[in-house]
Amino acid sequence: MATKNRFSSKPRSGITPWIGIAAIVILLDQLSKITITKLFAFGESHPVTSFFNLVLAYNRGAAFSFLAAESGWQRYFFTAIGVVAALVIVYMLQRHAGQRLFCWALALIMGGAIGNVIDRVLYGHVIDFLDVHFNGWHWPAFNIADSAIFIGAGLFILDELRRVNR
């Protein structure tokens, strides 16, 4: 009787590993934000290196504080975008679960999007704490969720470039 080889080197194509990666991003993001909010007062900054600080900042807008000065509607708008993005990503992961680089990109983006949605729902703003600076110029503060989205976007571009060059 033939049996299924459980130790086959054939890659799995299920969605579970990708959801797991997104969950790890969410967990690291939320734990880091909880830690920073417990250790820092709003606006407080501590130098780590000559070009990097930890700082507690709130962002009511999107990337680079886009729409942060609006009256509050942006909270719901960016929350909805994050939820819709996560649902679309789950659908795409189901359809393309065997494409490793593409799914890594999607999982990181989804984890980051959900991490920031959690902040918007719970606090009305996103908690940022990573501050990179050089020669008096500061990059807008960001967090682990933002970093995951950035890395995921980079992997997505890399995957597309590889696909085009085939």
Side-chain angles (χ1 to χ4, degrees):
M1 171 164 98
T3 60
K4 185 176 175 182
N5 183 354
R6 295 184 331 184
F7 302 104
S8 170
S9 62
K10 181 182 175 187
R12 291 183 152 184
S13 60
I15 191 174
T16 305
W18 310 120
I19 298 297
I21 290 166
I24 290 168
V25 169
I26 295 164
L27 180 66
L28 292 173
D29 177 63
Q30 291 300 304
L31 287 175
S32 64
K33 290 172 179 175
I34 289 167
T35 301
I36 289 295
T37 58
K38 297 290 184 195
L39 297 175
F40 287 67
F42 175 72
E44 185 178 358
S45 177
H46 292 284
V48 177
T49 68
S50 63
F51 59 88
F52 175 70
N53 299 334
L54 291 175
V55 61
L56 178 56
Y58 301 145
N59 183 359
R60 297 189 186 285
F64 305 107
S65 297
F66 177 65
L67 298 177
E70 293 298 318
S71 62
W73 61 267
Q74 72 275 22
R75 171 186 183 185
Y76 305 103
F77 177 71
F78 292 127
T79 298
I81 288 175
V83 169
V84 169
L87 293 172
V88 169
I89 289 171
V90 167
Y91 171 76
M92 292 175 74
L93 286 171
Q94 289 173 333
R95 295 211 47 209
H96 306 283
Q99 298 177 21
R100 293 177 54 89
L101 187 58
F102 181 68
C103 290
W104 263 103
L106 292 177
L108 290 172
I109 292 168
M110 181 171 69
I114 293 172
N116 284 339
V117 162
I118 290 169
D119 284 12
R120 290 184 199 288
V121 169
L122 293 179
Y123 314 116
H125 55 261
V126 173
I127 298 168
D128 289 329
F129 58 91
L130 302 171
D131 175 30
V132 177
H133 56 90
F134 176 74
N135 205 20
W137 181 82
H138 288 257
W139 187 261
F142 57 100
N143 57 46
I144 290 176
D146 298 334
S147 300
I149 292 168
F150 180 81
I151 293 167
L155 292 176
F156 183 75
I157 291 167
L158 179 63
D159 183 60
E160 286 302 310
L161 290 173
R162 284 182 24 186
R163 198 179 324 266
V164 167
N165 289 331
R166 284 186 191 155

